[in-house]
Amino acid sequence: MGFPERRLRRLRRTPALRRLVAETRLSVDDLVAPLFVREGADEPLPIVSMPGQVQHSVTSLVAEAKRLSSLGVPGLILFGVPDRKDAVGSGAFDPDGIAQIALAEVRSALDDELVLIADLCLDEYTDHGHCGVLDARGDVDNDATLELYQRTALAQAAAGADIVAPSGMMDGQVAAIRSALDGAGRSDVAVLAYAAKYASALYGPFRDAVEVTIAGGGDRRAYQQDPANRREALAEVALDVAEGADIVMVKPAGTNLDVIAEVRAAVDVPVAAYQVSGEYSMITAAAGHGWIDGAAVAAESLTAIKRAGADFVLTYFAAELAEQLGG
């Protein structure tokens, strides 16, 4: 049956009709807030390239976690910004490192009200800015890095993380971390794998936020995934699931909706997607000039990510959107 008998506009006529037949629904339950905590900070420090976002002090981080919980946001992912960096990123696995201190404080303040996810990587903590330790040639040593990831996972679990999220794109990272956690009696801690993490040009503001500069003007294309590749993403995801990942992630989200859809069809574990700093900053910058309705564009972009198949989204718009949704 076609026009004029069939008229698809009938079900678009009123807001109530549109709600009734909506195929994708964006909820506060779909949101995870990325937060930064700065060692030695006495107050929140604005991140210039990410308007509205800050490097938190431990005190302000706890307050923001409480606010997120009151809005109904179910989880946060934490990134530490240390005062001191070294060649092996020792602050990442130091029990007294900034991320571990902050995780423990949030856990103490909120108990199980929020899911606490700890980003598990070394780049914020290394003086060369790479996600692993370097060999004699200056390349990232995959296998030597895995042992440090294991130590980091155990430190984060001890500090109160519900989920550890390895983001370095080292081969074998999920299996190594799962083995370490299980061997230490922490089989309760889940692993969210940055499984398809692309070497994207959209990470610039994030690197400002965590104060990371890659030595010698280098990049991470030797270990993060080529943005031209789709089949490779499915292979990465399959390996991570086989190694024990409880959740897999696609990053960035907005430029990889096709990958999100294919991953969702391929696996039976939850699929996360990360709306990254560059996506956030482009929307907020355009909104700041009055060129777009920032709130509407944020909601539309997140709905598209959900429509592609993501079960939840890591987004810097989490609190703002939760307020709009009445969380």
Side-chain angles (χ1 to χ4, degrees):
M1 183 174 62
F3 179 82
E5 291 82 8
R6 189 173 190 202
R7 295 175 181 263
L8 295 179
R9 286 182 57 192
R10 290 187 188 115
L11 298 182
R12 303 173 192 154
R13 188 172 55 83
T14 69
L17 278 168
R18 293 192 292 273
R19 289 205 328 271
L20 183 68
V21 299
E23 298 174 27
T24 303
R25 301 182 190 279
L26 187 62
S27 160
V28 68
D29 294 334
D30 302 322
L31 308 174
V32 169
L35 299 179
F36 306 97
V37 61
R38 179 71 164 85
E39 185 174 7
D42 296 322
E43 59 184 5
L45 304 172
I47 301 167
V48 174
S49 59
M50 298 179 68
Q53 302 299 307
V54 301
Q55 294 177 331
H56 282 284
S57 68
V58 173
T59 300
S60 70
L61 177 77
V62 172
E64 180 65 5
K66 290 179 178 178
R67 183 172 81 100
L68 290 168
S69 179
S70 72
L71 291 170
V73 175
L76 63 82
I77 183 166
L78 186 63
F79 300 88
V81 185
D83 271 344
R84 184 182 63 85
K85 304 186 181 196
D86 58 34
V88 299
S90 59
F93 46 85
D94 182 350
D96 295 321
I98 182 57
Q100 281 69 260
I101 290 171
L103 283 167
E105 289 292 328
V106 176
R107 174 63 70 213
S108 175
L110 281 94
D111 197 18
D112 291 331
E113 290 180 33
L114 274 179
V115 175
L116 301 187
I117 307 171
D119 178 76
L120 196 167
C121 199
L122 302 183
D123 61 325
E124 297 102 308
Y125 303 92
T126 57
D127 53 16
H128 46 73
H130 278 290
C131 298
V133 293
L134 304 183
D135 62 20
R137 297 180 303 175
D139 297 326
V140 174
D141 187 328
N142 189 98
D143 295 5
T145 297
L146 295 182
E147 189 268 336
L148 300 184
Y149 283 6
Q150 291 178 315
R151 293 174 65 182
T152 303
L154 294 177
Q156 292 173 340
D162 297 296
I163 301 172
V164 296
S167 59
M169 290 295 286
M170 297 296 116
D171 292 337
Q173 63 184 13
V174 173
I177 290 165
R178 185 73 272 158
S179 174
L181 289 169
D182 290 352
R186 295 308 310 264
S187 60
D188 57 316
V189 176
V191 176
L192 187 169
Y194 286 64
K197 180 180 179 179
Y198 286 91
S200 174
L202 289 165
Y203 301 151
F206 174 89
R207 290 177 186 166
D208 291 342
V210 294
E211 301 178 10
V212 167
T213 301
I214 301 174
D219 57 49
R220 297 174 180 163
R221 294 183 181 276
Y223 45 101
Q224 293 180 354
Q225 191 178 303
D226 186 343
N229 294 355
R230 176 180 52 82
R231 294 191 303 271
E232 184 184 26
L234 297 177
E236 289 278 12
V237 167
L239 284 169
D240 282 353
V241 172
E243 290 179 15
D246 299 284
I247 308 167
V248 292
M249 186 196 293
V250 177
K251 176 185 180 183
T255 53
N256 296 294
L257 298 179
D258 59 328
V259 176
I260 295 170
E262 292 207 42
V263 170
R264 175 66 287 157
V267 302
D268 59 3
V269 299
V271 175
Y274 199 146
Q275 185 184 53
V276 300
S277 61
E279 296 175 87
Y280 170 85
S281 294
M282 287 191 292
I283 293 171
T284 54
H289 282 84
W291 296 335
I292 60 172
D293 180 334
V297 172
E300 183 176 335
S301 64
L302 289 164
T303 300
I305 296 165
K306 279 283 294 177
R307 189 183 68 227
D311 293 292
F312 63 91
V313 186
L314 288 69
T315 174
Y316 301 96
F317 291 112
E320 177 183 330
L321 189 61
E323 290 177 333
Q324 292 174 35
L325 294 171

